[in-house]
Amino acid sequence: MSTQLPLAHAASTTRVQTRIPLNTLAIPLGLAGLAQVWTAGTTALGLQSGLGQALWLTAAISWVWTLAVHVHRGTRTDHSLSHQLMHFAQGPLAALLPIAAMLLGAGLHRTVPLAGTMLTLISIAAAAAFAAWILSYWMRGEMPLESVHGGYFLPISAAGLVGALTAAETGIGWLAVGSFAIGIFFWLVISVFFFLRLALRPAMPAPLIPTLAIMIAPPAVASAAWLRISGGQPNHLFEGLSAMTAFMVLIQIMLLPRYRALPFSLGFWSFTFPAASVAALAITWLHLLQPFAWQAITVAVLAAVTALVLAIATKSVLLLITSTRASRRQQSGAEKQTMG
């Protein structure tokens, strides 16, 4: 009986562990964004897309693996998924999952059109359902302004604009236009609350500061989406959205001292997709204008965004190893104390 009690206590302790933070869903999105950049870069340079295809496969594996890890942890905790989704800080980040799936669907469409189209449509439908639900939850009047962070762009604005881009890439024009309109409207709405929160409320806690980078994603994705919708012909709206992206990038440059002061965490994956979106747009402009040495600049852009993602991925693996070892030492110590 004395040996059963510690085992039962250990099982109970394992059972009540918390769910994995939803910001880890940014990992497959960041990898999908990197694959999107390499697809744009190799197309512009007229190169074989082998590396791009490998990155799409890596992003797909990461998406499945991340989802599996979340589901597995969910079965071992008493904390409900609905509680996590209704958390004002974490809830909006759940939109990362269908957004990444949209990009994977568009990537798959290039090789298997029917499967890619089906995945894109299912992902857009899932994102729309989640966006409607979370918006209705916010409208209950219980959300404090202090809870707003960059992740609030994800459920409706970013999802709508990525949906517009992927729908256009899969040839569903009416859905692309509708998603674009929704994304632009809620980009403007959320921006009001976001900047009011930044200006009139205390500074964000350190774990949420990387979400400030998300503000550059909506105009960058909107530019790419509108260029697709307009048949690849740049117009004033495309130019205006590109100018807005450039201004948002300037803001990010001013925020670099705050970013450098942060200790590394998995939240740094929030930097990857916005950076990839800007890189893809920059490559598009380079291909359109073809200035002096534009091919070399394109290669430099590809190298820079790849180095960023690889650095964050490497540090994430090292952080995971360190935290796993620390957890095992802590568990071993607890078991020794219990046995003693």
Side-chain angles (χ1 to χ4, degrees):
M1 180 67 71
S2 61
T3 59
Q4 291 177 354
L5 288 175
L7 292 174
H9 176 73
S12 175
T13 302
T14 302
R15 179 68 183 172
V16 297
Q17 64 181 321
T18 59
R19 287 179 173 269
I20 297 175
L22 291 176
N23 62 359
T24 55
L25 298 177
I27 296 174
L29 180 60
L31 294 174
L34 180 62
Q36 187 88 346
V37 174
W38 272 94
T39 299
T42 53
T43 300
L45 296 173
L47 302 176
Q48 295 293 325
S49 59
L51 182 55
Q53 294 296 328
L55 288 171
W56 282 117
L57 179 60
T58 302
I61 294 173
S62 172
W63 190 93
V64 174
W65 177 80
T66 305
L67 178 61
V69 169
H70 276 264
V71 172
H72 176 67
R73 173 66 72 86
T75 62
R76 301 173 61 194
T77 178
D78 292 329
H79 297 270
S80 66
L81 177 61
S82 61
H83 176 76
Q84 192 175 31
L85 294 178
M86 290 187 292
H87 192 280
F88 285 120
Q90 285 202 56
L93 303 180
L96 291 164
L97 196 65
I99 292 175
M102 293 179 203
L103 292 172
L104 292 173
L108 181 60
H109 180 270
R110 297 182 179 92
T111 53
V112 188
L114 179 59
T117 300
M118 292 301 298
L119 178 56
T120 301
L121 288 174
I122 292 171
S123 304
I124 292 176
F130 178 70
W133 173 81
I134 201 168
L135 183 60
S136 68
Y137 176 64
W138 291 344
M139 291 171 66
R140 293 171 58 180
E142 301 174 0
M143 181 178 68
L145 186 59
E146 290 81 358
S147 67
V148 177
H149 54 75
Y152 275 60
F153 286 107
L154 295 170
I156 314 176
S157 176
L161 295 172
V162 173
L165 174 62
T166 55
E169 289 181 343
T170 53
I172 313 173
W174 64 269
L175 182 58
V177 173
S179 298
F180 183 85
I182 293 171
I184 288 292
F185 176 78
F186 282 99
W187 173 37
L188 299 176
V189 171
I190 298 300
S191 292
V192 173
F193 291 98
F194 181 59
F195 285 104
L196 281 176
R197 185 261 179 271
L198 293 178
L200 303 179
R201 291 295 186 270
M204 284 185 180
L208 292 178
I209 289 179
T211 65
L212 293 173
I214 299 175
M215 74 173 74
I216 65 177
V221 177
S223 300
W226 187 253
L227 187 64
R228 287 281 186 177
I229 292 171
S230 59
Q233 299 298 320
N235 52 30
H236 291 322
L237 180 56
F238 171 69
E239 294 167 353
L241 290 169
S242 297
M244 180 63 73
T245 303
F247 181 70
M248 292 296 178
V249 171
L250 181 59
I251 295 176
Q252 293 300 308
I253 293 174
M254 301 301 174
L255 290 172
L256 284 178
R258 294 181 65 181
Y259 294 151
R260 285 198 295 265
L262 295 174
F264 181 81
S265 68
L266 292 181
F268 273 48
W269 281 94
S270 298
F271 294 118
T272 56
F273 180 70
S277 300
V278 172
L281 181 61
I283 290 173
T284 299
W285 270 105
L286 287 169
H287 189 215
L288 288 172
L289 299 177
Q290 297 191 1
F292 175 75
W294 71 272
Q295 295 98 332
I297 300 174
T298 298
V299 172
V301 171
L302 289 172
V305 71
T306 303
L308 172 66
V309 175
L310 285 177
I312 292 176
T314 301
K315 288 189 174 184
S316 298
V317 172
L318 294 176
L319 179 64
L320 179 61
I321 293 173
T322 302
S323 60
T324 300
R325 289 176 177 174
S327 177
R328 287 177 178 174
R329 286 195 297 267
Q330 183 179 6
Q331 184 177 2
S332 176
E335 290 176 354
K336 289 179 180 179
Q337 290 181 357
T338 304
M339 294 298 292

